[in-house]
Amino acid sequence: MRCEYCEKSVVGDKEVVIIAGKGPVHSRCFEQTLLSRRIFQGVALSSLPLEDLNEFKEMITIELNSRQYNDDDGVELFG
Ligand SMILES: [Zn+2]
C-alpha cells in the first residue's frame, strides 16, 4: 500500500488516514494537501467565487466578534 501523495509505503506508519475511494495515505501528507489546496471542512476555498469568499469572510468576522463579545460578557457575569 502506497501513499497517494508521496508514493511511499504507508505500511508500518502509525499516522495513516483512510480516504474513501483512494485508500490509506500518511496523515501528514493529507493535511499538507488540504492546506495547499485551501480546503476547509470539505469546502475548497480556492474554487469559491470571490463574492462568496467575501461573504464567508464577513460571516467569520461576525461570528468571531459575537464570540468575543460573549466571552467578555461571561467575564463580567462571573467576575
Ligand atoms: Zn505520504
Side-chain angles (χ1 to χ4, degrees), residues 2-10 13 15 24-30:
R2 282 173 187 278
C3 170
E4 157 131 344
Y5 303 116
C6 68
E7 296 185 345
K8 287 177 188 159
S9 175
V10 295
D13 201 305
E15 314 245 330
V25 299
H26 300 118
S27 61
R28 61 181 177 276
C29 293
F30 180 60

Side-chain angles (χ1 to χ4, degrees), residues 16-28:
V16 170
V17 286
I18 312 288
I19 300 179
K22 288 190 178 184
V25 299
H26 300 118
S27 61
R28 61 181 177 276

Side-chain angles (χ1 to χ4, degrees), residues 55-67:
E55 199 176 319
F56 191 37
K57 184 179 156 191
E58 208 166 297
M59 285 169 69
I60 290 170
T61 306
I62 292 167
E63 180 64 21
L64 285 174
N65 284 343
S66 79
R67 290 191 187 197

Side-chain angles (χ1 to χ4, degrees), residues 70-79:
N70 286 336
D71 283 353
D72 289 349
D73 228 24
V75 170
E76 268 175 48
L77 279 173
F78 300 108

